[in-house]
Amino acid sequence: MGLKIPYIKTLAFIACLIPGTSALAQTVTFKKKKATLMDVLVAIEQQTGYGKFTDRAAREYAHPVDMDIDGEPIDTVLARFCRNQPLIWSIHKRIIYVRYDHSVPIPVEPSGITITGRIVNERNEPVPGATVTISNSNRVIATNDDGEFILENVTPNTRLVITSVNYESKEVRLEGDPVVNIQMKPRMSQLAEISVVSTGYQDLVKERSPGSYAKIDNALFNRRVSNNVLDRLDGVTPGMIFNKNIVPGLNQSSMTVRGRSTIFSNAEPLIVVDNFPYPGDVNNINPNDIENVTVLKDANAAAIWGAFAGNGVIVINTKKGRFRQEPQLTINSNITIGGKPDAYYLPVLDASNYIFVEQYLFEQGFYATKETGRVPVALSPAVELFIKQRDGIIDDAMLNASLDSLRAIDIRREKEKYFYRNSMNQQYAINTSGGGANHHYYLSVGLDRNLHDLVGNHSQRLTLNANNTYSWFNNRLTLHTGFGFSESNYTINNEGGLPVNYPYLTLGDNAPAYIELRQSFKEQVKNAGLLDWSYRPMEEIALADKTQKVTDSRVNVNLDFKIIQGFSARILYQYNKGQLEAENFHSPKTYFTRDLINRFTQVDSAGKFSYPIPKDKGILDKRNESYSAHNVRLQLNYLHEWKDKHKITHSISAMAGAEVRDICATLENKRLYGYNKETLTSIKIDTTIKFPQYHDRSQLLPIQAPSYNEEAFDRYVSFFMTARYTLDQRYTFSASVRKDESNLFGVEANKKGVPLYSLGFGWELSKEKFYGLTWLPHVKLRITHGYNGNVNKSVSAYITAALSNQSNAYGAPVGAIINPPNPDLRWEKIQTTNFALEFATFKNIIAANVEYYRKNGKDLIGNTPIDPTTGNLQYWGNVAKMEGSGLDITITSYNLNRKLKWQSILLFNYAKDKVTSYGTKHPTITPYYHPEQLNPIPGNPLYSLYSLKFVGLDPQTGNPIGMLDGHNSQEYTLIINSSNFDDLVFSGPANPVLFGNFRNTFTWKQLTFSLNISWKAGYYFRRSSIDYSALFRDESIGHPDFALRWKNPGDEAHTNIPSLIYPENPARSFFFKYSEELVERGDHIRLQDIQFLYDFNLKRSKKLPIKSLSIYMYANNLGILWKANDKGIDPDHIFDIPNPKSIALGLKVQF
Amino acid sequence: MQNLSKAIIILIIILYCTISCNKKEFLEKIPSSKILIPKTLDDFQALLDNHAILGETPVLGELSADNYYLIQSFWQGLKNHERDVYIWQNNIFQSDEHIGDWEMPYQQVFYANVVLDNLPPATNEQDEAIRWNHIKGAALFIRAYAFYNLAQLFCPIFDNTILPFENEFGIPLPLEPDITATLKREEVTNTYNRIIADLSDAIRLLPDTLPMEHRNRPSKPAAFALMARIYLSTRFYDKALLYADSSLNLYSSLINYNDISTSRPIPFTRLNEETLYQSNMLSTTNVLKGLVVPNCIADSNLYRSYDTNDLRKYIFFGGTPNLPTLKGSYNGTIFLFSGLATDELYLIKAECLARTGNYLEGMVVLNSLLEKRWRTGTFVPLSAMDETAALNLILQERRKELPYRGLRWSDLRRLNREGFEITLQRKLDNIYTLPPNDRRYVLPVPHTVLKLNGSISQYPRN
């Protein structure tokens, strides 16, 4: 049926093109009983050459007429046929037009039935707002938010036409069935699809909310292959950046939504899983169980989360079954192979140069104090050789031969060979879902097995998910139960590092690494009867037995009840429980155990050994962390729509409720000595006795047996309310209020909680009558304004003390004041204003969403130095203010829409923050450029890179020259501690200000290919270089820049690397380390990943029980295309090795 | 259906009410088992037992004094202010941001103020009331001790002859745990008045007996001892005598040094018999420590002044006779003892007796101390012809008994007032001297403090 209209149109069109076939009679002769309109028109056409054009209604409703015409004009024939019929006819330019007269009501056919239906998309998600038209009538109805519709009094075998902006129209013939489920196919050219976004409280039609949401639907979510949920948002979510190069202690968040708006409070976005904040590790969630993710970005979208929403909210919804869904079984499996980490990426001083430095230091007598000291501290193999040569134990030739063999060793080659390997991740996921009229279910099992790229490390995760929904009383009462469980087992036998810094360590031959105590001492005491004291790195990895078991469960019970028309109530409950059990068993063979036993070995006057730490037995370190959370929410919803005929003129939807959360976390640490893994027995140790250490008799130490318990409680009570009002489907007003209260420690003012509100307004300009731009059929403006908050539990209005786990030297418990009283303490508030413009050109060829926002952080908690005379060095309080602004631009374009389809999506983000006020300045510049301290300077971004002015090298000495009070200076101690802020250089923001992605998707037949390019720009980082201070003190493996150092006058023309001097000046090294010379631009473009997806067309082979089958390939971390620095540094990996390239192959089958 | 509706609505109302009604109690849960608002006497005792903070005293005075010298190369590698204070530079706080000599005592004052401010009203219950007294007394003692230690460095010497100009440069005296308060220099007179007042209150509250297992806790003997030290340094010798005597009346044990190992690097324990109150000089210093600083050498004149039979020569000093270094002290660790001990009281008593016309009795007191310091059977009691000779002998023994105890700087200040004309000298590349009564005997306020508190004035050191 669907083909008929274009067919007729085409005919009419062809008829118009042939006006020259003229010499035909203008009269018609026609005779037929019960002739239809088409019979008549075809006859006229044949006899006169006149074209014909009719609408569908005319054909449908024209009654057949007995015709008997003999040579009469066309108009007579038409008049005859159309008499007493709801038809209008006309002739214009040799075309006959017959139309249905809409002024005549369509006769309602009696004895109709009532049908209920549900429209879903290809992923079984409801399609709200779709138009359902009964064919041949003007009866139209729109689906509700659940994609459902009810039609009363319908002919049993009538046809329904379903249309929706983003889906291809579909026509369905009713086969007398009162229940229909219709699945729609998305149009290739879809704009921001009509999507339902979830706030964790409500599902909203995105188009009807003025807030700023970013939705990652299932297809996009599954584009990337990974075992982590959040990874999959990287590079596809507008306004969101995943932070790299995280330094502990700087309160950097792993990800940032729309820039930074706090300093010391929680900086991570809130993660909501199935309606409630998720207190566990997100790694416990299997991405295969995730249906979609919504990121709430602005105040209006996130306001419903109040004081938790300051950093944005990520709402994760797990998969569920649907009512009246055929049972289906999906199997997804893939394998990811990753490359070996690049052992050559991080800078290392090569063995020759390293030995050169050691020889130089040896000649200067640098090692004399170590050699003759009371404690026999370790010296490197090369230094031991120099000593032997000096003492005449070996001759020069022997020394040189031994040094040469050391020079031939490269720790990087060793690591590549023995330490790293290819990683391999296997993922298996099976789920089944389905549903009847009153019940639906979802059940899944997932297994992930990961072999890590560090030899010795592997992990495994098992996940189970089950949910069931039951309904009674005609869907008025719905009960949903959900259960999720995961168990992850990690084996971490390789910590990733090596305990020595000399670059000529071999790993393969199990030679000892010279650590902690002198090797000669170790060998000597072994002969004296102590345990072998040597450390062999690869052997330690083989002996290690360090595991972590993480279990996590989640139980949901939701009760939904439709009270009366428009009103519904929900009671939601979620219980979470998680546990981490970490065990590190040091067997008697491990260095850890041997070392500790040796250190405590006692020798009596007769030379007999005794062992305060049990010999031949292991040591077990145990850590248990657990949490449990109860969440209860009561929620009342109200929805009312005012309809004018079949159109909704205005609607109001409101929600109010209250919520209680109670989270309890515990931590337990302990160490057991003399542990036997088989019998699980241990030996009690007296930790009060102090023993002289074997290697240092003057040092008296007790045996450490830490035992530690801690409990933490987080409690919240929140009240919330939100309402939306839509007028004429053009104007939307939205408002929400929330008040959060918590058990913040004894804060009288805060205890009353913080009320936060937001307002929003949306205007669909293109729906206005005056709007006339046909090439731009969709234009919408949105403005929102409001407040979010942030929680900081580290401060209190009252004086707060902590009891230490350790008693003082006299055995009494010790208390420390951790928080001076601060009666003015307030909650942090973040004011956000968002302006959005969205538009789409004709046929959605180009669609764009442009959002500009401003953020204003008020009352932010900061620490500011205060007069030490008060007894406190710093004050923690609401001393800081921040401002931020940014742009999120998403442009989607359909460049080709033929057999080969080509879609481009450009994400362009700009996010800049600025600290506008921040307590008192520190007296010196040191805390500002120091990389491990967070000390903002008003006017600059929170994370800024500061450095020291660098003039060049002294032509005489190769000393670096800095600036002090505006003059060239080599007074390094004064330079690095200057109190003149003009000596401090603001090098730029330390985090990308501009970032984004460019994703291109090509579809040809069943093959989809997509490629994602990402970039970051507008930021700076500090690279490493030779740090003589660290090199001499054996704290660093050195840097190849050493070879570029200043050696002779004149070198300063082509190098800025300072000369090697002795004695070393720590302040000189420190100055160079933080000088602007080592600052690099971070800008870069990277080919993030590519994906191939092939969907087998199984329609032709209906015999197979398979509904769909697809195979996919995904390659990740493909490399940098361009970068601003020429030092070979990946700006996302300044101090670690970049993630190796990986390739995944997978298969997904649906039965 | 109707009933179900009602049931559910009622359920919601009940749940809602439950949330609202129990909210206050629910939200009062302390967020962590680690933290608390100090309320009970146990809590306050735990704060006062934080010995890592309350047991530290300034070191800059001893660093400025003449009991030691440094090897040039070692001196060069020191923290800026320690290097500068060694040669009595005018501006010793050029670049080091944190100066523990100022910060630590004021942190102790803050702890004391927190206790004094939050201590619940006294109860009538016998045991509790006694404990309450002890805690309040301890807090007052700690405040007085901290203020006194600060005054020795940052105030001009206070005595009967203080000039109005000098009197302006007392120290700030925070008496409440208020971090927003603007603190000014008080008069020196007020500073000492406050110290004496706090200590007098403490004496009324503290226990009569020494807490033998908790020598970090103040007691009446310790408070009397501190009072004696204060009056001695301010040259009110009659009062110093009175308080030294009061303390010795309550506790007067001396260690017989013949029972002490001369070979052990740390010869004494923290619970040794003489200690009345334990504290040590800043553990953050790189200079004055037992054992670990081989380049910090005892003053040659001082070292040579010990008789070969004087055990102190072997117990106080290690290293070699040419380069004698410091050993662990009454603190029982490598950190140097700066607390209160009975030996100091014997010396105060002896000196004050000599100064108040009782020099013979003073010599008796001195000899009773020295007897315990010499090898058994070798000690011949000292005698003096007149008051001056007795005083000189007592002062000489004072220096030999109490080196590196943080007392020498105060002694130099007061003795130079009395015309002892002790000029200090340092030899490095150059020779540096500190003449008697020089203005550099008052240390400058750290520049961090000046920058963050505009109302503190700097004493003109030149």
Side-chain angles (χ1 to χ4, degrees), chain A residues 10 123 209 356 450 522 639 667 675 684 740 829:
Chain A
T10 315
R123 296 184 297 273
S209 335
F356 169 83
N450 303 326
K522 290 180 171 181
L639 173 74
L667 173 70
Y675 191 75
K684 191 140 172 55
D740 290 295
K829 273 189 200 170

Side-chain angles (χ1 to χ4, degrees), chain A residues 1061-1105:
Chain A
I1061 55 163
Y1062 191 87
E1064 200 274 322
N1065 177 354
R1068 178 183 185 258
S1069 294
F1070 194 82
F1071 162 71
F1072 182 64
K1073 195 172 177 180
Y1074 298 108
S1075 72
E1076 54 183 340
E1077 173 62 16
L1078 300 180
V1079 172
E1080 299 282 343
R1081 257 177 77 198
D1083 305 19
H1084 67 280
I1085 302 174
R1086 153 191 329 269
L1087 175 56
Q1088 184 58 52
D1089 56 18
I1090 55 174
Q1091 181 217 25
F1092 281 99
L1093 174 70
Y1094 190 86
D1095 247 314
F1096 286 91
N1097 191 346
L1098 297 168
K1099 274 176 194 154
R1100 278 180 223 112
S1101 54
K1102 288 228 160 164
K1103 283 169 201 161
L1104 280 173

